[in-house]
Amino acid sequence: MTRTIHLTLDINGQRHELDVEPRVTLLDALREHLGLTGTKKGCDQGQCGACTCHVDGKRVLSCLTLAAQAEGRQVTTIEGLAGPNGELHPVQSAFIEHDAFQCGYCTPGQIMSAVACIREGHAGSDEEIREYMSGNLCRCGAYNSIVTAVREAAEMA
Amino acid sequence: MKDFSYLRAASAEEASRAAQQAGAMLLAGGTTLLDLAKCGVTEPDTVVDITRLAGLDTINVGEGGLTIGALATMSAVADHPEVKTQFPAIAQSLSLAASAQLRNMATIGGNLLQRTRCAYFRDPQAFPACNKRAPGSGCSALGGVTRNHAVLGTSEKCIATYPGDLAVALVAFDAVVDLGTRQVPVDDFFLPYGEAPERETLLQPGEIIRGITVPASVAARQSVYLKVRDRQSYEFAAASAAVGLELEADGRTVSDIHVALGGVATKPWRALAVEQALIGKALDADLVRSASRLSMEGAVSHGDNAYKIELAPRVVARAILQLAPSLGDLA
Ligand SMILES: Cc1cc2nc3c(=O)[nH]c(=O)nc-3n(C[C@H](O)[C@H](O)[C@H](O)COP(=O)(O)OP(=O)(O)OC[C@H]3O[C@@H](n4cnc5c(N)ncnc54)[C@H](O)[C@@H]3O)c2cc1C
Ligand code: SF4
Ligand code: FES
Ligand code: FES
């Protein structure tokens, strides 16, 4: 027997209504129910950071957040980062500029984490960037370019 | 993950009532609960979301000390300016834990109640035997890979390490858990394993952690949390130490010292023997090193984790010496 609950979620400034089982995570709600597949599923257990998005402006892991917990909060995903006319967010541009990815799978999570890292004021030095970006793993090992991109975006912010 | 029903509690009383039902579990940041639900370790029928309860996320530094509401996030406490200056070991124990994302989600109440990272505990399918999960079923870690297992406070039933960092700093500085109807020292809140490793704390069904208080002291203000681990960030402690030190005017004689260890024991581990060996003494590096070894009294190795018995006292000594700058390069 499947019991569903009705949720209203605010994602990238848009209202979404959905009926899901209570156990559905924000990550699965985004990807499987709302077709927002920019947010990636790596480990699904809080260990890799691929699923990072923002809830009320703070970076969180959507794989360990229930969709129900996000009700009444503002959710921002990688799809919501660019400007109204599609102009890239400075962190997105910096990632392209500095080749801060290879396969790209970790990239949406890296970028969402980096935007928050800069906003928090934790991007003051390469060392600080490495520490505060450590929750985002990159199997391709693009770390050096990621740090460069975050540093440059932070300097421009 | 087994399905469950979801209840968003409107008051602490409602949450407490709901949590007394069989199969119900409180949900705060969810970073332990949902992780373990995905592993099949916890299978709640109902999760009771307490994150909307009002007034439980305050952080207050006053004359008497530090008060933290149970729903304050790890990041809010770690970044709090007065916590950083008045209780540095507490701020550091949080900023060196988990990742920025997890710290934004995880709450102080949930943090205390995080479960062991014992790989056998976390994998019920492959390892049905686990006394902590299924009392009486045995322990898969004994005779297995024990590199991350505890050397202190173990029993023949379970050798799982308590993995948290914050609680180590809390026991060092005599913090108290506020359970609403009673106040319990953090050190007593965590139970020794003994015969019943499935029972880790004094918390009763339906009881809600309201907050934590930490008395102010010179030692708490002059404190450090030193965490040594397999990688530099985003990793649990191989061994850690929370130390606070107050010296006499001579800059060498110990008037007050607090020491606790993490990553090596089945609960956050206060090292009273180290404190007693140093109080009233004039510090020098050799004395600090020999006193630090007392922290391993009663330690038992299970093979792979023998290194902790060597490592932990060094971490303690390094932390103490860091706090005694007058000893200069002796550190
Ligand atoms: C990848 C990873 C790395 C990590 N690294 C570290 C680390 O290096 N150091 C470290 O210390 N921790 C680490 N953690 C653990 C993390 O700190 C905890 O998962 C977190 O603090 C738990 O808090 P929460 O609010 O998310 O708890 P939840 O998952 O919501 O709850 C945990 C438990 O506490 C109960 N509970 C919650 N709040 C209350 C309350 N107020 N009263 C009564 N019961 C309550 C719940 O019912 C549940 O049983 C890591 C976790 C992950 C996933
Ligand atoms: S050490 Fe404890 S938690 Fe790990 S398998 Fe043994 S009984 Fe279970
Ligand atoms: S998918 Fe969420 S942290 Fe890996
Ligand atoms: S670019 Fe491939 S995982 Fe990071």
Side-chain angles (χ1 to χ4, degrees):
Chain A
M1 185 191 71
T2 335
R3 302 150 301 168
T4 60
I5 50 174
H6 185 76
L7 299 177
T8 309
L9 297 183
D10 173 348
I11 297 158
N12 302 326
Q14 277 190 321
R15 231 173 106 102
H16 295 268
E17 309 267 342
L18 63 167
D19 292 292
V20 293
E21 292 175 8
R23 67 176 159 180
V24 168
T25 58
L26 178 58
L27 175 61
D28 285 339
L30 291 168
R31 291 183 56 85
E32 311 297 333
H33 295 264
L34 301 170
L36 291 167
T37 53
T39 306
K40 301 300 179 208
K41 182 184 282 189
C43 65
D44 205 23
Q45 287 215 283
Q47 300 183 356
C48 74
C51 65
T52 303
C53 47
H54 299 175
V55 172
D56 284 349
K58 300 235 160 97
R59 49 175 157 163
V60 300
L61 301 175
S62 58
C63 71
L64 292 184
T65 304
L66 292 180
Q69 287 176 290
E71 219 179 13
R73 314 274 194 218
Q74 284 184 317
V75 179
T76 309
T77 69
I78 188 76
E79 288 92 344
L81 219 49
N85 301 317
E87 62 276 20
L88 293 183
H89 186 283
V91 174
Q92 290 175 308
S93 306
F95 267 63
I96 294 170
E97 174 79 11
H98 293 283
D99 253 342
F101 44 80
Q102 289 177 38
C103 76
Y105 198 78
C106 71
T107 312
Q110 298 280 2
I111 291 177
M112 294 310 284
S113 200
V115 170
C117 180
I118 295 167
R119 194 188 296 146
E120 291 159 10
H122 286 313
S125 65
D126 285 6
E127 201 189 350
E128 195 181 20
I129 292 168
R130 285 180 191 280
E131 171 60 32
Y132 281 87
M133 289 293 292
S134 70
N136 291 84
L137 306 189
C138 174
R139 289 288 306 266
C140 300
Y143 294 112
N144 285 335
S145 309
I146 292 170
V147 172
T148 309
V150 177
R151 191 202 324 123
E152 194 193 85
E155 282 163 2
M156 293 187 337
Chain B
M1 177 163 53
K2 192 178 86 85
D3 203 17
F4 42 71
S5 57
Y6 172 84
L7 173 76
R8 194 176 288 148
S11 68
E13 292 63 39
E14 184 190 5
S16 170
R17 233 178 302 120
Q20 282 171 43
Q21 307 301 313
M25 289 189 81
L26 298 172
L27 175 72
T31 62
T32 287
L33 181 56
L34 296 179
D35 178 26
L36 290 179
K38 289 180 185 201
C39 298
V41 173
T42 48
E43 300 194 312
D45 299 319
T46 308
V47 307
V48 182
D49 183 352
I50 57 172
T51 53
R52 309 291 166 113
L53 299 183
L56 284 181
D57 63 351
T58 51
I59 304 166
N60 209 326
V61 180
E63 291 272 295
L66 167 65
T67 315
I68 311 172
L71 291 179
T73 59
M74 290 171 73
S75 56
V77 181
D79 294 338
H80 193 280
E82 285 167 289
V83 178
K84 286 208 276 205
T85 54
Q86 303 299 306
F87 298 88
I90 288 176
Q92 292 159 13
S93 74
L94 289 164
S95 62
L96 294 172
S99 68
Q101 291 94 315
L102 287 159
R103 294 193 295 269
N104 278 340
M105 307 164 71
T107 65
I108 297 303
N111 184 284
L112 293 186
L113 297 173
Q114 64 179 286
R115 308 294 302 277
T116 183
R117 307 300 289 191
C118 170
Y120 304 100
F121 169 78
R122 290 174 57 84
D123 192 348
Q125 284 221 307
F127 302 100
C130 170
N131 286 325
K132 190 181 277 300
R133 241 192 297 109
S137 62
C139 169
S140 297
L142 291 172
V145 179
T146 57
R147 194 169 180 284
N148 297 322
H149 286 79
V151 294
L152 289 167
T154 57
S155 74
E156 26 349 328
K157 295 242 156 76
C158 179
I159 59 169
T161 304
Y162 175 79
D165 293 298
L166 169 67
V168 176
L170 293 179
V171 296
F173 298 105
D174 304 305
V176 172
V177 190
D178 176 5
L179 297 174
T181 52
R182 54 184 183 139
Q183 316 280 320
V184 184
V186 176
D187 201 12
D188 301 337
F189 181 73
F190 290 97
L191 299 170
Y193 282 179
E195 286 302 299
E198 73 280 10
R199 196 152 157 61
E200 295 169 351
T201 70
L202 281 177
L203 201 70
Q204 296 292 334
E207 256 186 323
I208 297 181
I209 300 176
R210 307 298 172 102
I212 285 160
T213 54
V214 195
S217 66
V218 174
R221 195 166 68 233
Q222 297 171 2
S223 66
V224 67
Y225 188 78
L226 183 63
K227 181 173 178 180
V228 172
R229 39 190 165 169
D230 286 352
R231 56 181 179 193
Q232 196 177 341
S233 183
Y234 200 16
E235 184 58 277
F236 290 91
S240 69
V243 175
L245 182 64
E246 180 185 4
L247 297 174
E248 311 267 333
D250 65 2
R252 296 197 64 157
T253 309
V254 177
S255 51
D256 190 19
I257 181 163
H258 295 244
V259 180
L261 280 78
V264 293
T266 54
K267 57 176 267 182
W269 198 261
R270 181 86 179 252
L272 289 174
V274 180
E275 299 176 8
Q276 278 151 13
L278 291 173
I279 198 120
K281 303 277 170 52
L283 290 185
D284 68 58
D286 285 340
L287 175 65
V288 168
R289 286 193 191 105
S290 62
S292 297
R293 266 185 220 114
L294 299 174
S295 63
M296 288 295 116
E297 273 176 352
V300 181
S301 142
H302 304 277
D304 302 337
N305 60 358
Y307 76 98
K308 288 186 190 264
I309 298 175
E310 194 58 42
L311 177 63
R314 292 174 187 234
V315 176
V316 171
R318 212 170 96 201
I320 297 172
L321 291 169
Q322 266 184 26
L323 292 169
S326 62
L327 297 182
D329 53 6
L330 287 177

